[in-house]
Amino acid sequence: TLRLGSAARARLSGRYSKVSYEDSPFDNDRFGGGLSFLRDLSASTVLSANLQTEKTEYDSNLAGGDYDRQDAFLGYTATGSRTRANLELGYSMLNRSAVDDSKGLLARLDIRRQLSPSSSLSVRIGREFSDAE
């Protein structure tokens, strides 16, 4: 994360994961990255513009093909004394080697409420391209 002034920052992220299911055609390697620009609107609210990409390469050709996913979305986060809400809206593209490409809406809403010092309640709803990982 790099500060770009008193209320703005940029965040660059990277990720690698190795997925293994003992002896399975679904074993794969995943490479991902993201770039976000965040702006503090107040002490409790943040607006963000985000770009993310992920490449999945299967060890076997039986799994249905490698794929790439790119997401572009805006985010809004509001934090209260015991409640945090995060809304993300944007567009997602899924490029698969064995099937036609897919494009569509990316929408996520995540609300978390701290009920007591030792318990919380979370609700997540959304629409996005995903898999079993």
Side-chain angles (χ1 to χ4, degrees), residues 16-120:
Y16 168 78
S17 63
K18 174 97 175 137
V19 179
S20 298
Y21 296 99
E22 289 188 19
D23 186 21
S24 167
F26 299 106
D27 295 349
N28 64 70
D29 293 288
R30 294 174 189 243
F31 308 88
L35 177 63
S36 299
F37 293 98
L38 301 99
R39 172 89 173 146
D40 296 330
L41 301 178
S42 71
S44 60
T45 59
V46 177
L47 182 65
S48 65
N50 307 275
L51 298 172
Q52 293 179 339
T53 186
E54 183 178 70
K55 180 175 190 61
T56 301
E57 297 176 344
Y58 287 94
D59 295 347
S60 166
N61 291 332
L62 301 174
D66 301 340
Y67 65 89
D68 300 326
R69 187 181 74 213
Q70 290 84 32
D71 300 328
F73 58 94
L74 295 176
Y76 179 78
T77 302
T79 305
S81 61
R82 295 190 312 156
T83 304
R84 181 177 186 270
N86 186 48
L87 174 65
E88 297 174 339
L89 290 173
Y91 192 73
S92 186
M93 296 184 300
L94 187 66
N95 304 313
R96 297 176 283 187
S97 60
V99 184
D100 290 339
D101 296 347
S102 298
K103 301 172 185 171
L105 174 69
L106 170 71
R108 300 179 190 126
L109 176 62
D110 185 4
I111 300 172
R112 180 181 181 95
R113 173 86 173 165
Q114 193 71 37
L115 300 175
S116 73
S118 60
S119 65
S120 63

